[in-house]
Each structure stands twice: as structure tokens, then as C-alpha cells.
Amino acid sequence: MKSIWDLDGTKYPKLTENKNFDILIVGGGLTGISLCYYFKDTKYKVGLIEQNSLLKSTTLKTTGKLTYLQKDLLTKIKTIYNKDIAKKYLSSQINAINYIIEIINKENIKCDLEENESYLFTTNKNNTNKIIKEFNLYKEFGIDAKLLNKLPIDIKINSCFKVPNTYVFHPLKYGYGLLNSINKNNNIEIYKNTRMIDFKKYNEYYEVNLNSNYKIKCKFLIIANSYPSFIFPYLFPIKTKIEKECVIVEKTNNNLKFNAINIDKNIISIRFYKDYMIRVYDSNKLSLKEINKSITYKDGNSYKFSNYDVITLDSLPIIGKIDNNMFLATGYNTWGMTNSNIAAKTISDLILYNKSEYENLFRSNREFSLNKSLNFFKFNLSTIYNLLLSKISLRDKSTIKYINGEKYGVYIDKFKKEHIVKLTCPHMKCGLFFNTKEKTWDCPCHGSRFSIDGDIVRGPSTSCIKKL
Ligand SMILES: Cc1cc2nc3c(=O)[nH]c(=O)nc-3n(C[C@H](O)[C@H](O)[C@H](O)COP(=O)(O)OP(=O)(O)OC[C@H]3O[C@@H](n4cnc5c(N)ncnc54)[C@H](O)[C@@H]3O)c2cc1C
């Protein structure tokens, strides 16, 4: 389903030979492209590979808020760690906003950047305390936050506060602006339709295998594919999970200059773009049937699509070194407009200068107290539940076929042609559900998605599903 941000694709080739790079970036979302931006004008020969088209995955379906008001993340981080770490996280987000604005101005990127205030609210009186706690932290950290009792829009709320100096923009126009300026440099090569399958580590370099059977050798390898697919694939899901949310975009007569998000169980997130109102709601809580029912496409100018992001157990992103010369950027907790920038800045600083302001804050091997993160089991419960459900649930019978005792999914297109694929996700062997609106086979455990012919639409799986 089309996102409101969708623009014509960029024209990059597929890689059709073996290559050597100093730095290889895997993933052409906002993180990968921001990394290229920070490496342009350096002595390094840099390659970026994207398995599909650039900027067409999570980044395409964001709401494009550039804000440091990120639900009650500060309270969560303070509870798991301490006030200093919460403050440092806040400062990283404010810095990211400033870096992005600097880039937009320097490169003259026309991305509909608009300053507007961010609101955090609750519609549940039991959560008023949470709002006050978060508000107090912002005040304590020197933010000019203001407590209010209503939003600029007609939603009945219990309490809210707002903060200044936050923005909204058009994420794809920003991404394409970065690409324009990267394209002027010949130290960077970008390839689309080029997928990393796996890698081997040698003393001085990494050798990356591609789906095309070609190989890339590189000294530094950066995994910016939104999920830690290549690193302990069976361990990382303990620290991270996938959150799926639905986005509804509808015409409105009121373009109000604010954005808002709640802290309640059922997410409500709002922003405006031109004469559209963009709303997000949480689809983890909904059954697949309900999701599909709610994503009925309307004719005309309304868009409905879903998006996934990687959530971490301790509410901090995972950014930095995971091996000598291998780096990872993931776990943005649905705040990747700012975090993709800070990830790119952190990793490029580590490679270029061997140090970064945020290397300790975001390192992947940070220790945190599991018992303070009370949600540990609850956190992983939805993944386990989805895994079990995917094995036992009765899906739409018309889409299932048993061949030699194995379960296959069948999609019949409008020409009555059958598209038959094996219904097991190669990543962690969960069963797949058919997403009737987006016409993909989706893994409910970690968010991999496959086309009706089994090709990967998004990871973490790095292999396609078998087509019959
Ligand atoms: C509903 C929703 C709303 C959101 N709204 C906001 C918001 O308002 N503000 C905000 O800050 N954040 C928001 N986010 C989060 C933000 O959109 C994401 O965190 C961000 O876009 C992630 O960017 P990325 O580059 O890391 O990942 P992606 O955009 O997913 O890019 C990763 C790329 O890697 C490619 N890839 C994967 N595997 C391979 C492989 N093996 N080989 C080659 N390429 C590969 C993929 O095809 C993909 O293009 C939202 C998230 C959701 C779910």
C-alpha cells in the first residue's frame, strides 16, 4: 500500500561484479544514506548495498516527526539506568535535530521542514502521573516544557504537556536531498537490488556474499538494515522486538502546527502534512483479521499502510561496534529520524576519529539490569505468542495447501494464476501470515515480509522463501 511519502525511485544499478571497498554499508534506508553522507569527502572508498530500492522500507512509512519528545522514554531510561543516562539520551536527540537542520540548510534540501511543538498526552486518568513524571524530567533537564489540559485538536484528554523546538518534515525528500549531495562525490558507490546473504571474517577484512553470487571485500562493515540480522540472530531478539503500527492519512481542512503522541496502551500519534492528517495506531494489539479489516483502502486521497520498527528492551538504540571493524545501527524504538542521524554520526566518528560522544551510551554490549526492566517477559511474550499462533492458528483456508505433508501458502492473482510458497520464515522458522491488503507473506515474530513469489520485501530474514 502506497505511503504518503512515496516518490519516484532513485536510479542506481545492481552490483554485477566483485568489489573491494574500505567501508561497506548494508541497507539503503535513512541510516545507510546518512552514513554515506558523513563519509562523503573522506579518503575512504565506500559502498552501499540495498536489497530492494533505496528509502523504500521503514523510512518510507514513518510519520516524519523530528522530535525529542518520544513518549515516556526518558522515564523508562531513568528507571532502567539513571538520570544521567536519560539526560544524555535527550541531548543526543536534540543534537540529532540540530545536525539534521544544519545539513538541510547546508545542502539546501527542500524537504518541507516545519517547526512545530510536540505534545505528550494521555486519555487515561491512571496515566496522569506518568505524564507529570516525564514533564518533570524535561523541566529538570532544562527544556521549556508547559503543562496543559488540552490539545490543539478536539480529542478528549486527561493531561498533557508540550515542548518547543521540534519539527516535522518530508522524510523521503530529505533522504533524496542527502543522496543528491552524496552523488556529487566519487568516493561513494551505491547499488540497489543487491542483497547481503552472509559474511566471513578474515584477519584484515570481511568478505560479504551477495544474493547474486558476487562478493564484496571490505575493511569496515556496517550493518544498517534496521534489524541485527547477521549478528547472533538467535540472541538479539531477546534484546529487541518488532513493533507494527498502522498509519492512516486523511484529508483535513485544518493543518494544525503541532504534533502529538500519547503514552497509553493503544498508541495515538498525530501530525499534519499540507492538508493531510497523519495518525498512527498500534496494530500489535489487534488480530490480523482486525488489522486487515481496518486497512480498507479508500478511494481518493487517503493512504493506509503499516510499518514496523525495532524496539529494545532498555529503550536505548543499539549503535556502534560489535566486532573489531564491524558496526551495527538498530533498535530505534520508532524514533529513527533522529536516531538514524545519531547512528551515522556515531559510527562515522568511530571509523574516522576512533572515538564518539555516544559510543558508551549506545554500545551493543551495555549491561543493564533485567529485573529493573520489569517488562522483560511481557516484552518477549508477544513474540512467543505470535510464534505459537503462527504454528497453530487457522488462517484463511483458501490460502493454504498441503503438498507432501508440507504447508504451502497459495495466493491467486486476478488472472487466476496461483503463486505458491513455503510457509516458513527462514529467519527463525515462524509460520507466515498472508497480509491481504499489502499482498505479502508476513512473519508475525520478527517482521520479515515476502512477496507473493517468496522474494524478501523486508528482513530480518536474509533468504527468500521457497517458491513452488
Ligand atoms: C508507524 C511508525 C511511525 C514512525 N514515525 C517516526 C517519526 O515520526 N519520527 C521518527 O523519528 N521515527 C519514526 N519511526 C521510526 C523510523 O521510521 C525508523 O526507525 C527509521 O525509518 C529506520 O530507518 P533505517 O534506515 O534504520 O531502516 P530502513 O528504512 O528499514 O532501511 C533499512 C534498509 O536495509 C535494507 N536491507 C535489509 N536487509 C538487507 C540485506 N541483507 N542486504 C541489503 N539491504 C538490506 C532494507 O531493504 C531497507 O531498505 C516510525 C516508525 C513506525 C513503525
Side-chain angles (χ1 to χ4, degrees), residues 335-387:
W335 299 105
M337 298 297 101
T338 42
N339 279 310
S340 57
N341 171 280
I342 217 67
K345 181 92 178 68
T346 301
I347 293 174
S348 60
D349 280 351
L350 285 172
I351 293 178
L352 297 172
Y353 313 112
N354 218 6
K355 59 176 186 206
S356 150
E357 195 179 347
Y358 297 113
E359 78 189 281
N360 278 329
L361 184 64
F362 297 140
R363 74 195 154 87
S364 65
N365 58 349
R366 58 188 178 245
E367 302 82 28
F368 64 97
S369 155
L370 274 185
N371 59 4
K372 278 200 180 167
S373 175
L374 287 174
N375 280 334
F376 180 63
F377 288 107
K378 221 170 101 194
F379 185 85
N380 282 293
L381 214 56
S382 67
T383 304
I384 296 164
Y385 171 76
N386 281 327
L387 170 70

CSV table of all heavy atoms in Angstrom, one decimal, residues 335-387:
chain,number,residue,atom,x,y,z
A,335,TRP,N,11.9,5.8,16.8
A,335,TRP,CA,12.4,7.2,16.7
A,335,TRP,C,13.6,7.3,15.8
A,335,TRP,O,14.7,7.7,16.2
A,335,TRP,CB,12.6,7.8,18.1
A,335,TRP,CG,11.3,7.8,18.9
A,335,TRP,CD1,11.0,7.0,19.9
A,335,TRP,CD2,10.2,8.7,18.6
A,335,TRP,NE1,9.7,7.3,20.3
A,335,TRP,CE2,9.2,8.3,19.5
A,335,TRP,CE3,9.9,9.7,17.7
A,335,TRP,CZ2,7.9,8.9,19.6
A,335,TRP,CZ3,8.7,10.3,17.8
A,335,TRP,CH2,7.7,9.9,18.7
A,336,GLY,N,13.5,6.8,14.6
A,336,GLY,CA,14.6,6.7,13.7
A,336,GLY,C,15.0,7.9,12.9
A,336,GLY,O,16.0,7.9,12.2
A,337,MET,N,14.1,8.9,12.9
A,337,MET,CA,14.5,10.1,12.1
A,337,MET,C,15.7,10.7,12.8
A,337,MET,O,16.7,11.1,12.2
A,337,MET,CB,13.3,11.1,12.0
A,337,MET,CG,12.1,10.6,11.3
A,337,MET,SD,12.4,10.2,9.6
A,337,MET,CE,12.6,8.4,9.6
A,338,THR,N,15.6,10.9,14.1
A,338,THR,CA,16.8,11.4,14.9
A,338,THR,C,17.8,10.3,15.0
A,338,THR,O,19.0,10.6,14.8
A,338,THR,CB,16.3,11.8,16.3
A,338,THR,OG1,15.4,10.9,16.8
A,338,THR,CG2,15.7,13.2,16.3
A,339,ASN,N,17.4,9.1,15.4
A,339,ASN,CA,18.4,8.1,15.7
A,339,ASN,C,19.2,7.6,14.5
A,339,ASN,O,20.4,7.2,14.6
A,339,ASN,CB,17.8,6.9,16.4
A,339,ASN,CG,17.6,7.2,17.9
A,339,ASN,OD1,18.6,7.7,18.5
A,339,ASN,ND2,16.4,7.1,18.4
A,340,SER,N,18.7,7.7,13.3
A,340,SER,CA,19.5,7.3,12.1
A,340,SER,C,20.6,8.3,11.9
A,340,SER,O,21.7,8.0,11.6
A,340,SER,CB,18.6,7.3,10.8
A,340,SER,OG,18.0,8.6,10.6
A,341,ASN,N,20.3,9.6,12.3
A,341,ASN,CA,21.4,10.6,12.2
A,341,ASN,C,22.4,10.4,13.2
A,341,ASN,O,23.6,10.4,12.9
A,341,ASN,CB,20.8,12.0,12.3
A,341,ASN,CG,21.9,13.1,12.4
A,341,ASN,OD1,22.5,13.2,13.5
A,341,ASN,ND2,22.2,13.7,11.3
A,342,ILE,N,22.0,10.1,14.4
A,342,ILE,CA,23.0,10.0,15.5
A,342,ILE,C,23.8,8.7,15.3
A,342,ILE,O,25.0,8.6,15.7
A,342,ILE,CB,22.3,10.1,16.9
A,342,ILE,CG1,23.2,10.8,17.9
A,342,ILE,CG2,21.9,8.8,17.5
A,342,ILE,CD1,23.4,12.3,17.6
A,343,ALA,N,23.1,7.7,14.7
A,343,ALA,CA,23.8,6.4,14.4
A,343,ALA,C,24.9,6.7,13.4
A,343,ALA,O,26.1,6.2,13.5
A,343,ALA,CB,22.9,5.4,13.9
A,344,ALA,N,24.6,7.4,12.4
A,344,ALA,CA,25.5,7.7,11.3
A,344,ALA,C,26.7,8.6,11.8
A,344,ALA,O,27.8,8.3,11.5
A,344,ALA,CB,24.8,8.4,10.1
A,345,LYS,N,26.3,9.5,12.7
A,345,LYS,CA,27.4,10.4,13.2
A,345,LYS,C,28.3,9.6,14.1
A,345,LYS,O,29.5,9.7,14.1
A,345,LYS,CB,26.7,11.5,14.0
A,345,LYS,CG,27.6,12.5,14.6
A,345,LYS,CD,27.8,13.7,13.7
A,345,LYS,CE,28.6,14.8,14.3
A,345,LYS,NZ,30.0,14.4,14.5
A,346,THR,N,27.7,8.7,15.0
A,346,THR,CA,28.5,7.9,15.9
A,346,THR,C,29.4,7.0,15.2
A,346,THR,O,30.6,6.9,15.5
A,346,THR,CB,27.5,7.1,16.9
A,346,THR,OG1,26.7,8.1,17.5
A,346,THR,CG2,28.3,6.3,17.9
A,347,ILE,N,28.8,6.2,14.3
A,347,ILE,CA,29.7,5.2,13.6
A,347,ILE,C,30.7,5.9,12.7
A,347,ILE,O,31.9,5.4,12.7
A,347,ILE,CB,28.8,4.2,12.8
A,347,ILE,CG1,27.9,3.4,13.8
A,347,ILE,CG2,29.6,3.3,11.9
A,347,ILE,CD1,26.9,2.5,13.1
A,348,SER,N,30.4,6.9,12.0
A,348,SER,CA,31.4,7.6,11.2
A,348,SER,C,32.5,8.2,12.1
A,348,SER,O,33.7,8.1,11.7
A,348,SER,CB,30.8,8.6,10.2
A,348,SER,OG,30.1,9.6,11.0
A,349,ASP,N,32.1,8.8,13.2
A,349,ASP,CA,33.1,9.3,14.1
A,349,ASP,C,34.1,8.2,14.6
A,349,ASP,O,35.3,8.4,14.7
A,349,ASP,CB,32.5,9.9,15.4
A,349,ASP,CG,32.0,11.3,15.1
A,349,ASP,OD1,32.3,11.9,14.0
A,349,ASP,OD2,31.3,11.9,15.9
A,350,LEU,N,33.5,7.0,14.9
A,350,LEU,CA,34.3,5.9,15.4
A,350,LEU,C,35.3,5.5,14.3
A,350,LEU,O,36.5,5.1,14.6
A,350,LEU,CB,33.4,4.7,15.8
A,350,LEU,CG,32.7,4.9,17.1
A,350,LEU,CD1,31.7,3.8,17.4
A,350,LEU,CD2,33.7,5.0,18.3
A,351,ILE,N,34.8,5.4,13.1
A,351,ILE,CA,35.7,5.0,12.0
A,351,ILE,C,36.8,6.1,11.6
A,351,ILE,O,37.9,5.8,11.5
A,351,ILE,CB,34.9,4.5,10.8
A,351,ILE,CG1,34.2,3.3,11.1
A,351,ILE,CG2,35.8,4.3,9.5
A,351,ILE,CD1,33.3,2.7,10.0
A,352,LEU,N,36.3,7.3,11.6
A,352,LEU,CA,37.2,8.4,11.1
A,352,LEU,C,38.1,8.9,12.2
A,352,LEU,O,39.3,9.2,12.0
A,352,LEU,CB,36.3,9.6,10.6
A,352,LEU,CG,35.4,9.4,9.4
A,352,LEU,CD1,34.5,10.6,9.2
A,352,LEU,CD2,36.3,9.1,8.2
A,353,TYR,N,37.6,8.9,13.5
A,353,TYR,CA,38.4,9.5,14.6
A,353,TYR,C,38.7,8.6,15.7
A,353,TYR,O,39.2,8.9,16.7
A,353,TYR,CB,37.7,10.8,15.1
A,353,TYR,CG,37.3,11.7,14.0
A,353,TYR,CD1,35.9,11.9,13.8
A,353,TYR,CD2,38.2,12.3,13.2
A,353,TYR,CE1,35.5,12.7,12.7
A,353,TYR,CE2,37.7,13.2,12.1
A,353,TYR,CZ,36.4,13.4,11.9
A,353,TYR,OH,36.0,14.2,10.9
A,354,ASN,N,38.1,7.3,15.6
A,354,ASN,CA,38.3,6.3,16.6
A,354,ASN,C,37.7,6.7,18.0
A,354,ASN,O,38.0,6.2,19.0
A,354,ASN,CB,39.8,6.1,16.9
A,354,ASN,CG,40.1,4.7,17.1
A,354,ASN,OD1,39.2,3.9,17.0
A,354,ASN,ND2,41.4,4.4,17.5
A,355,LYS,N,36.8,7.7,18.0
A,355,LYS,CA,36.0,8.0,19.2
A,355,LYS,C,34.7,8.7,18.8
A,355,LYS,O,34.6,9.2,17.7
A,355,LYS,CB,36.8,8.8,20.2
A,355,LYS,CG,37.2,10.2,19.6
A,355,LYS,CD,38.0,11.0,20.6
A,355,LYS,CE,38.2,12.3,20.0
A,355,LYS,NZ,39.1,13.2,20.2
A,356,SER,N,33.8,8.5,19.8
A,356,SER,CA,32.5,9.2,19.5
A,356,SER,C,31.9,9.6,20.9
A,356,SER,O,32.0,8.9,21.8
A,356,SER,CB,31.5,8.3,18.8
A,356,SER,OG,30.2,8.6,19.1
A,357,GLU,N,31.1,10.7,20.8
A,357,GLU,CA,30.5,11.2,22.1
A,357,GLU,C,29.5,10.1,22.6
A,357,GLU,O,29.3,10.0,23.8
A,357,GLU,CB,29.7,12.4,21.6
A,357,GLU,CG,29.3,13.3,22.8
A,357,GLU,CD,28.5,14.5,22.3
A,357,GLU,OE1,28.5,14.9,21.1
A,357,GLU,OE2,27.9,15.1,23.2
A,358,TYR,N,28.9,9.3,21.7
A,358,TYR,CA,27.9,8.4,22.2
A,358,TYR,C,28.2,7.0,22.2
A,358,TYR,O,27.4,6.1,22.3
A,358,TYR,CB,26.6,8.7,21.4
A,358,TYR,CG,26.1,10.1,21.5
A,358,TYR,CD1,26.1,11.0,20.5
A,358,TYR,CD2,25.6,10.5,22.8
A,358,TYR,CE1,25.7,12.3,20.6
A,358,TYR,CE2,25.2,11.8,22.9
A,358,TYR,CZ,25.2,12.7,21.9
A,358,TYR,OH,24.8,14.0,22.0
A,359,GLU,N,29.5,6.6,22.1
A,359,GLU,CA,29.9,5.2,21.9
A,359,GLU,C,29.5,4.4,23.1
A,359,GLU,O,29.0,3.3,23.0
A,359,GLU,CB,31.4,5.1,21.5
A,359,GLU,CG,32.4,5.2,22.6
A,359,GLU,CD,33.8,5.2,22.1
A,359,GLU,OE1,34.3,4.1,21.7
A,359,GLU,OE2,34.4,6.3,22.0
A,360,ASN,N,29.6,5.0,24.3
A,360,ASN,CA,29.3,4.2,25.5
A,360,ASN,C,27.8,4.1,25.7
A,360,ASN,O,27.3,3.1,26.1
A,360,ASN,CB,29.9,4.9,26.8
A,360,ASN,CG,31.3,4.4,26.9
A,360,ASN,OD1,31.7,3.3,26.5
A,360,ASN,ND2,32.2,5.3,27.4
A,361,LEU,N,27.1,5.2,25.4
A,361,LEU,CA,25.6,5.2,25.6
A,361,LEU,C,24.9,4.2,24.8
A,361,LEU,O,24.0,3.5,25.3
A,361,LEU,CB,25.1,6.6,25.2
A,361,LEU,CG,23.6,6.9,25.5
A,361,LEU,CD1,23.3,6.9,27.0
A,361,LEU,CD2,23.2,8.3,24.9
A,362,PHE,N,25.3,4.0,23.6
A,362,PHE,CA,24.6,3.1,22.7
A,362,PHE,C,25.2,1.8,22.4
A,362,PHE,O,24.7,1.0,21.6
A,362,PHE,CB,24.4,3.8,21.4
A,362,PHE,CG,23.5,5.1,21.5
A,362,PHE,CD1,23.9,6.2,20.7
A,362,PHE,CD2,22.4,5.1,22.3
A,362,PHE,CE1,23.1,7.4,20.8
A,362,PHE,CE2,21.7,6.3,22.4
A,362,PHE,CZ,22.0,7.4,21.7
A,363,ARG,N,26.4,1.5,23.0
A,363,ARG,CA,27.1,0.2,22.6
A,363,ARG,C,26.2,-1.0,22.8
A,363,ARG,O,25.4,-1.1,23.8
A,363,ARG,CB,28.4,0.2,23.3
A,363,ARG,CG,28.4,-0.2,24.8
A,363,ARG,CD,29.7,0.1,25.5
A,363,ARG,NE,29.4,0.4,26.9
A,363,ARG,CZ,29.4,-0.6,27.8
A,363,ARG,NH1,29.6,-1.8,27.4
A,363,ARG,NH2,29.0,-0.3,29.1
A,364,SER,N,26.4,-2.0,22.0
A,364,SER,CA,25.5,-3.1,22.0
A,364,SER,C,25.7,-4.1,23.2
A,364,SER,O,24.9,-4.8,23.5
A,364,SER,CB,25.7,-3.9,20.7
A,364,SER,OG,27.0,-4.5,20.7
A,365,ASN,N,26.9,-4.0,23.8
A,365,ASN,CA,27.2,-4.9,24.9
A,365,ASN,C,27.0,-4.2,26.2
A,365,ASN,O,27.6,-4.6,27.2
A,365,ASN,CB,28.6,-5.5,24.8
A,365,ASN,CG,29.7,-4.4,24.7
A,365,ASN,OD1,29.3,-3.3,24.6
A,365,ASN,ND2,30.9,-4.8,24.8
A,366,ARG,N,26.2,-3.2,26.2
A,366,ARG,CA,26.0,-2.5,27.5
A,366,ARG,C,25.3,-3.4,28.5
A,366,ARG,O,24.5,-4.2,28.1
A,366,ARG,CB,25.2,-1.2,27.3
A,366,ARG,CG,23.8,-1.5,26.6
A,366,ARG,CD,23.1,-0.2,26.3
A,366,ARG,NE,21.8,-0.5,25.6
A,366,ARG,CZ,21.6,-0.2,24.3
A,366,ARG,NH1,22.5,0.3,23.6
A,366,ARG,NH2,20.4,-0.5,23.8
A,367,GLU,N,25.6,-3.2,29.8
A,367,GLU,CA,24.9,-4.1,30.8
A,367,GLU,C,23.7,-3.3,31.3
A,367,GLU,O,23.8,-2.1,31.5
A,367,GLU,CB,25.8,-4.4,32.0
A,367,GLU,CG,27.2,-5.0,31.6
A,367,GLU,CD,28.2,-4.0,31.2
A,367,GLU,OE1,28.2,-2.9,31.6
A,367,GLU,OE2,29.1,-4.5,30.4
A,368,PHE,N,22.6,-4.0,31.5
A,368,PHE,CA,21.5,-3.3,32.2
A,368,PHE,C,20.8,-4.4,33.0
A,368,PHE,O,20.9,-5.6,32.8
A,368,PHE,CB,20.6,-2.6,31.2
A,368,PHE,CG,19.9,-3.5,30.2
A,368,PHE,CD1,18.6,-4.0,30.5
A,368,PHE,CD2,20.5,-3.9,29.1
A,368,PHE,CE1,18.0,-4.8,29.6
A,368,PHE,CE2,19.9,-4.8,28.2
A,368,PHE,CZ,18.6,-5.2,28.5
A,369,SER,N,20.1,-3.8,34.0
A,369,SER,CA,19.6,-4.7,35.0
A,369,SER,C,18.2,-5.2,34.5
A,369,SER,O,17.3,-4.5,34.3
A,369,SER,CB,19.4,-4.0,36.3
A,369,SER,OG,18.4,-4.5,37.0
A,370,LEU,N,18.2,-6.5,34.2
A,370,LEU,CA,16.9,-7.1,33.7
A,370,LEU,C,15.8,-6.9,34.6
A,370,LEU,O,14.7,-6.7,34.2
A,370,LEU,CB,17.1,-8.6,33.4
A,370,LEU,CG,17.7,-9.0,32.1
A,370,LEU,CD1,17.8,-10.5,32.0
A,370,LEU,CD2,17.0,-8.4,30.9
A,371,ASN,N,16.0,-7.1,36.0
A,371,ASN,CA,14.9,-7.0,36.9
A,371,ASN,C,14.3,-5.6,37.0
A,371,ASN,O,13.2,-5.4,37.3
A,371,ASN,CB,15.2,-7.6,38.2
A,371,ASN,CG,16.4,-6.9,38.9
A,371,ASN,OD1,16.9,-5.9,38.3
A,371,ASN,ND2,16.8,-7.4,40.0
A,372,LYS,N,15.2,-4.6,36.6
A,372,LYS,CA,14.6,-3.2,36.6
A,372,LYS,C,13.8,-3.1,35.4
A,372,LYS,O,12.8,-2.3,35.4
A,372,LYS,CB,15.7,-2.2,36.6
A,372,LYS,CG,16.3,-2.0,37.9
A,372,LYS,CD,17.0,-0.6,37.9
A,372,LYS,CE,17.6,-0.3,39.3
A,372,LYS,NZ,18.6,0.8,39.2
A,373,SER,N,14.1,-3.8,34.3
A,373,SER,CA,13.3,-3.7,33.2
A,373,SER,C,12.1,-4.8,33.3
A,373,SER,O,12.2,-5.8,32.8
A,373,SER,CB,14.1,-4.0,31.9
A,373,SER,OG,13.2,-4.1,30.8
A,374,LEU,N,11.1,-4.4,34.1
A,374,LEU,CA,10.1,-5.3,34.5
A,374,LEU,C,9.4,-6.0,33.4
A,374,LEU,O,8.9,-7.1,33.5
A,374,LEU,CB,9.0,-4.5,35.3
A,374,LEU,CG,9.4,-4.1,36.7
A,374,LEU,CD1,8.4,-3.3,37.4
A,374,LEU,CD2,9.7,-5.4,37.6
A,375,ASN,N,9.5,-5.3,32.2
A,375,ASN,CA,8.7,-5.8,31.1
A,375,ASN,C,9.4,-6.9,30.4
A,375,ASN,O,8.9,-7.3,29.3
A,375,ASN,CB,8.5,-4.6,30.1
A,375,ASN,CG,7.4,-3.8,30.5
A,375,ASN,OD1,6.5,-4.2,31.2
A,375,ASN,ND2,7.5,-2.5,30.1
A,376,PHE,N,10.5,-7.5,30.9
A,376,PHE,CA,11.3,-8.4,30.2
A,376,PHE,C,10.4,-9.5,29.6
A,376,PHE,O,10.4,-9.8,28.4
A,376,PHE,CB,12.4,-9.0,31.0
A,376,PHE,CG,13.2,-10.0,30.3
A,376,PHE,CD1,14.0,-9.6,29.2
A,376,PHE,CD2,13.3,-11.3,30.7
A,376,PHE,CE1,14.7,-10.5,28.5
A,376,PHE,CE2,14.0,-12.2,30.0
A,376,PHE,CZ,14.8,-11.8,28.9
A,377,PHE,N,9.6,-10.2,30.4
A,377,PHE,CA,8.9,-11.3,29.9
A,377,PHE,C,7.7,-10.9,29.1
A,377,PHE,O,7.4,-11.4,28.0
A,377,PHE,CB,8.4,-12.3,31.1
A,377,PHE,CG,9.6,-13.0,31.6
A,377,PHE,CD1,10.1,-12.7,32.8
A,377,PHE,CD2,10.2,-14.0,30.8
A,377,PHE,CE1,11.3,-13.3,33.3
A,377,PHE,CE2,11.4,-14.6,31.3
A,377,PHE,CZ,11.9,-14.3,32.6
A,378,LYS,N,7.1,-9.8,29.6
A,378,LYS,CA,5.9,-9.2,28.8
A,378,LYS,C,6.4,-8.8,27.4
A,378,LYS,O,5.8,-9.1,26.4
A,378,LYS,CB,5.4,-8.0,29.6
A,378,LYS,CG,3.9,-7.9,29.6
A,378,LYS,CD,3.5,-6.8,30.5
A,378,LYS,CE,3.1,-5.6,29.7
A,378,LYS,NZ,3.0,-4.4,30.5
A,379,PHE,N,7.6,-8.2,27.4
A,379,PHE,CA,8.2,-7.7,26.2
A,379,PHE,C,8.4,-8.8,25.2
A,379,PHE,O,8.1,-8.6,24.0
A,379,PHE,CB,9.6,-7.2,26.6
A,379,PHE,CG,10.4,-6.5,25.6
A,379,PHE,CD1,10.2,-5.2,25.3
A,379,PHE,CD2,11.3,-7.2,24.8
A,379,PHE,CE1,10.9,-4.5,24.3
A,379,PHE,CE2,12.1,-6.6,23.9
A,379,PHE,CZ,11.9,-5.2,23.6
A,380,ASN,N,8.8,-10.0,25.6
A,380,ASN,CA,9.1,-11.0,24.7
A,380,ASN,C,7.8,-11.9,24.5
A,380,ASN,O,7.8,-12.8,23.6
A,380,ASN,CB,10.2,-11.9,25.1
A,380,ASN,CG,11.5,-11.2,24.8
A,380,ASN,OD1,11.9,-11.1,23.6
A,380,ASN,ND2,12.2,-10.8,25.8
A,381,LEU,N,6.8,-11.7,25.3
A,381,LEU,CA,5.7,-12.6,25.3
A,381,LEU,C,5.0,-12.5,23.9
A,381,LEU,O,4.5,-13.5,23.4
A,381,LEU,CB,4.7,-12.2,26.4
A,381,LEU,CG,3.9,-13.3,27.0
A,381,LEU,CD1,4.9,-14.4,27.6
A,381,LEU,CD2,3.0,-12.8,28.1
A,382,SER,N,4.9,-11.3,23.4
A,382,SER,CA,4.2,-11.1,22.1
A,382,SER,C,4.9,-11.9,21.0
A,382,SER,O,4.2,-12.5,20.2
A,382,SER,CB,4.0,-9.7,21.8
A,382,SER,OG,5.2,-9.1,21.4
A,383,THR,N,6.2,-11.9,21.1
A,383,THR,CA,6.9,-12.7,20.0
A,383,THR,C,6.7,-14.2,20.2
A,383,THR,O,6.4,-14.9,19.2
A,383,THR,CB,8.5,-12.4,20.2
A,383,THR,OG1,8.7,-11.0,20.1
A,383,THR,CG2,9.2,-13.1,19.1
A,384,ILE,N,6.7,-14.6,21.4
A,384,ILE,CA,6.5,-16.1,21.7
A,384,ILE,C,5.0,-16.4,21.3
A,384,ILE,O,4.8,-17.4,20.6
A,384,ILE,CB,6.7,-16.4,23.2
A,384,ILE,CG1,8.2,-16.2,23.5
A,384,ILE,CG2,6.3,-17.8,23.5
A,384,ILE,CD1,8.5,-16.1,24.9
A,385,TYR,N,4.1,-15.6,21.7
A,385,TYR,CA,2.7,-15.8,21.4
A,385,TYR,C,2.5,-15.8,19.8
A,385,TYR,O,1.9,-16.7,19.3
A,385,TYR,CB,1.9,-14.6,21.9
A,385,TYR,CG,0.4,-14.6,21.5
A,385,TYR,CD1,-0.5,-15.5,22.1
A,385,TYR,CD2,0.0,-13.7,20.6
A,385,TYR,CE1,-1.8,-15.4,21.7
A,385,TYR,CE2,-1.3,-13.6,20.2
A,385,TYR,CZ,-2.2,-14.5,20.7
A,385,TYR,OH,-3.5,-14.5,20.3
A,386,ASN,N,3.1,-14.9,19.1
A,386,ASN,CA,3.0,-14.9,17.7
A,386,ASN,C,3.6,-16.1,17.0
A,386,ASN,O,3.1,-16.6,16.1
A,386,ASN,CB,3.6,-13.6,17.1
A,386,ASN,CG,2.7,-12.4,17.3
A,386,ASN,OD1,1.5,-12.6,17.2
A,386,ASN,ND2,3.3,-11.3,17.5
A,387,LEU,N,4.7,-16.6,17.6
A,387,LEU,CA,5.4,-17.8,17.1
A,387,LEU,C,4.4,-19.0,17.2
A,387,LEU,O,4.2,-19.7,16.3
A,387,LEU,CB,6.7,-18.1,17.9
A,387,LEU,CG,7.3,-19.4,17.6
A,387,LEU,CD1,7.9,-19.4,16.2
A,387,LEU,CD2,8.5,-19.7,18.6
